Amino acid sequence: MKIRVDRHLKKVEFWAQGKEIQKVTGEELRRPNGHERLIHVFSRPRLMVDTAAISRLPSVRRDAVARLLEFPERVVEYDGVSVAWSDARYPGVWAPSIDTILFARAIRRLFGERHSRFIDSFLEIGCGSGFLSKYIIQKKRQIGAPISYAHIMDINRDALLSAMDAIEDVRGGTLVSYSLNRPKQGIKVARPFDLVISNPPYVSRPSSRDNNPFEGLFLYKEILERSRELMGRRSVLLTNFSSISKNEVYPAYQKQFRMKTLARMKVPLKIPLITARLSDESRKWVAYLEKHKKLMVDTRERSGYRYWQIIEIVECRMK
Ligand SMILES: C[S@@+](CC[C@H](N)C(=O)[O-])C[C@H]1O[C@@H](n2cnc3c(N)ncnc32)[C@H](O)[C@@H]1O
């Protein structure tokens, strides 16, 4: 299936592709390859897959959408850039999500500013599917100022594989290197970068395991401590802050950087391993978040979700 998000994040389209078309719509195509059929358009999206909005659809449309979601391959497209993701092929890799797309929107805004033309190299810390690195490489080429060098990191080997698969065909003359970070071993770079991006894990929790993309806030600390190695005086850092943990990390960033919010959105926290309360770990995690008032709670769940947060993509420049 393909999820296409419009440029201003006002609608999300769900498409069936190739052989999926027959299974979802009944339509027989002699040569399904390359064909796409629009199944549904969601307006004012709050998530890539908004289960509450899906459940409110008329039942036959709801079930067509549910059938589409059964296919393991998912292509996410925003602003002409797309990445194919599947949990079977890249286990445990963060799929392009609403925060990824909001981040891409902020990059789009940054690239609209004249001073961003000097950006010739970038570093992504925690690439997940590779969507954002691919976005930067493609968009910079489109505006006639291609990136010379990109370095891409993650702690999940499959994330690096996913990013490589996504980027290889579009990188052209851009030199791209990859490194596998080890938890608690620090970010190692050989040179500073004009642009550093990171959409780090942002849900604070009482005790941390190191290989889980959702936990802890250690990456914020690491980036802040190493910022003078990662960045030059004119470099830009783009990162994501969530209302869940903003109080814990934002003030320290403000001491070091001039900060400007480029994109902001209120979204549900839809990460079942945190919120489902089906394990001791999840029960403890939610209890911790509730006790410390880190979540916006819709107790009657009229919005379709119990837990909400505000995510914010912020440009940080050295003071
Ligand atoms: C919220 S996901 C964001 C993924 C992707 N950038 C996106 O926006 O879709 C955070 C990513 O950071 C990675 N990560 C966590 N700790 C890391 C570390 N110490 N070094 C590098 N990557 C890390 C996780 O594996 C995960 O892929």
Side-chain angles (χ1 to χ4, degrees):
M1 73 171 294
K2 178 183 270 187
I3 300 179
R4 184 178 290 148
V5 187
D6 88 303
R7 202 178 275 173
H8 305 290
L9 254 161
K10 295 276 185 246
K11 60 182 183 168
V12 165
E13 299 167 350
F14 276 25
W15 294 75
Q17 296 185 299
K19 292 180 180 148
E20 297 166 359
I21 296 171
Q22 197 279 327
K23 290 178 176 144
V24 177
T25 69
E27 183 181 352
E28 291 286 358
L29 296 171
R30 241 179 262 133
R31 275 188 297 276
N33 285 349
H35 282 271
E36 293 182 345
R37 281 286 177 277
L38 184 61
I39 302 300
H40 192 73
V41 182
F42 295 92
S43 33
R44 296 194 293 118
R46 308 172 296 179
L47 291 166
M48 300 299 272
V49 177
D50 186 337
T51 40
I54 294 170
S55 72
R56 284 195 298 267
L57 291 176
S59 62
V60 289
R61 180 62 63 87
R62 176 200 66 203
D63 292 340
V65 168
R67 178 71 186 95
L68 192 58
L69 288 166
E70 286 170 12
F71 297 106
E73 287 277 331
R74 184 178 299 174
V75 175
V76 174
E77 183 182 307
Y78 170 72
D79 196 18
V81 176
S82 64
V83 158
W85 172 90
S86 126
D87 195 50
R89 200 148 30 115
Y90 309 114
V93 173
W94 183 275
S97 308
I98 198 73
D99 50 1
T100 319
I101 301 302
L102 192 72
F103 209 117
R105 195 174 183 212
I107 294 171
R108 189 184 148 75
R109 193 173 154 195
L110 179 75
F111 287 174
E113 292 171 12
R114 214 160 27 94
H115 59 75
S116 74
R117 286 187 77 83
F118 87 94
I119 294 171
D120 187 47
S121 62
F122 79 88
L123 166 69
E124 178 166 18
I125 306 168
C127 62
S129 67
F131 186 94
L132 294 175
S133 286
K134 182 173 185 178
Y135 187 84
I136 292 174
I137 290 171
Q138 263 188 244
K139 288 291 147 184
K140 282 287 281 178
R141 177 149 305 121
Q142 265 175 24
I143 58 179
I147 294 285
S148 300
Y149 177 49
H151 187 67
I152 296 174
M153 300 173 164
D154 207 284
I155 42 166
N156 181 343
R157 196 178 293 272
D158 290 308
L160 296 179
L161 282 179
S162 172
M164 272 180 213
D165 290 346
I167 289 164
E168 201 44 37
D169 289 347
V170 299
R171 75 178 173 83
T174 302
L175 175 67
V176 186
S177 58
Y178 297 85
S179 58
L180 182 65
N181 286 2
R182 304 272 171 201
K184 299 220 171 104
Q185 287 194 9
I187 303 166
K188 295 187 185 70
V189 288
R191 49 163 283 178
F193 294 84
D194 299 330
L195 172 65
V196 177
I197 64 164
S198 187
N199 179 12
Y202 51 70
V203 186
S204 26
R205 61 177 295 166
S207 68
S208 273
R209 275 181 289 126
D210 294 322
N211 57 355
N212 180 335
F214 307 111
E215 75 183 19
L217 304 172
F218 51 90
L219 204 48
Y220 285 108
K221 186 165 173 275
E222 177 80 17
I223 292 170
L224 192 61
E225 283 172 1
R226 306 253 165 168
S227 57
R228 295 197 190 274
E229 289 159 56
L230 306 177
M231 302 167 67
R233 283 238 37 97
R234 294 172 66 209
S235 306
V236 179
L237 164 69
L238 281 191
T239 193
N240 179 14
F241 294 99
S242 157
S243 52
I244 297 174
S245 55
K246 190 173 173 187
N247 287 349
E248 284 150 86
V249 285
Y250 199 88
Y253 273 68
Q254 262 179 322
K255 280 191 193 145
Q256 187 144 327
F257 296 108
R258 285 177 282 127
M259 321 269 283
K260 180 171 143 193
T261 298
L262 299 185
R264 177 189 277 126
M265 199 171 173
K266 184 175 173 185
V267 298
L269 179 72
K270 194 191 83 170
I271 304 177
L273 73 85
I274 299 177
T275 55
R277 293 193 167 102
L278 291 170
S279 65
D280 277 350
E281 287 82 357
S282 155
R283 282 187 283 273
K284 277 188 206 142
W285 202 341
V286 174
Y288 166 81
L289 293 171
E290 284 198 336
K291 182 173 163 212
H292 293 275
K293 301 203 174 0
K294 291 187 180 294
L295 299 164
M296 297 160 163
V297 186
D298 173 5
T299 44
R300 301 176 81 176
E301 302 189 17
R302 288 230 174 102
S303 60
Y305 297 93
R306 186 170 186 80
Y307 299 121
W308 290 79
Q309 59 172 328
I310 292 172
I311 53 173
E312 210 175 322
I313 315 302
V314 179
E315 175 192 295
C316 312
R317 291 173 182 272
M318 288 286 183
K319 276 189 173 163

